[in-house]
Amino acid sequence: MHYRQLPAALTPLADKFYRAQRSPMRTAPGAQVWVAEQTAIVAALCLQPVAHAHWLTSLLVATPQRGQGLARQLIDAAQASCHTPLWLFCHPQLSAFYQRMGFAAADDLPQVLAERLARYQRSKPLLAFTR
């Protein structure tokens, strides 16, 4: 397995992966896009810079590769490169998944993320985590 950050010109490959997995996820302009590849992309995530850290969005592992630790390895590779804390929002049913990867509940979010979380929580239950 190979983990790497995609150059900006290749980020459409991650969007193609998300579409192939029938996911509504998409890359965001200005985000770091990281992928796990065998012969093709089998996992992807985005890191958006925010408040001297990064916000983890759009994490997806292809169904056949789930349960093999790819999400953790991809997150580890991305975080090692950026050397900053990571923040994320997730549905309550994913709490244990992220806690197993070393994330902890975040009570003190940067203002920009706290405002975004409050907006999102108007329509869906989300929790904030950091690592």
Side-chain angles (χ1 to χ4, degrees), residues 14 22 45 63 71 79-80 83 94 98 100 102-103 116 126 130:
R22 294 189 164 84
L45 66 76
T63 304
Q79 189 170 24
H83 307 288
L94 293 173
Y98 284 108
R100 284 191 304 271
F103 285 87
R116 188 176 293 243
L126 290 177
T130 188

Side-chain angles (χ1 to χ4, degrees), residues 31-90:
Q32 291 182 21
V33 179
W34 284 79
V35 296
E37 299 170 300
Q38 285 177 319
T39 55
I41 295 173
V42 295
L45 66 76
C46 289
L47 293 180
Q48 295 184 23
V50 62
H52 307 292
H54 285 86
W55 181 30
L56 171 63
T57 64
S58 307
L59 173 63
L60 183 68
V61 176
T63 304
Q65 282 76 25
R66 291 184 183 168
Q68 299 175 25
L70 295 181
R72 175 190 293 270
Q73 293 168 6
L74 184 57
I75 290 169
D76 287 349
Q79 189 170 24
S81 175
C82 67
H83 307 288
T84 66
L86 296 182
W87 302 91
L88 66 84
F89 304 153
C90 71

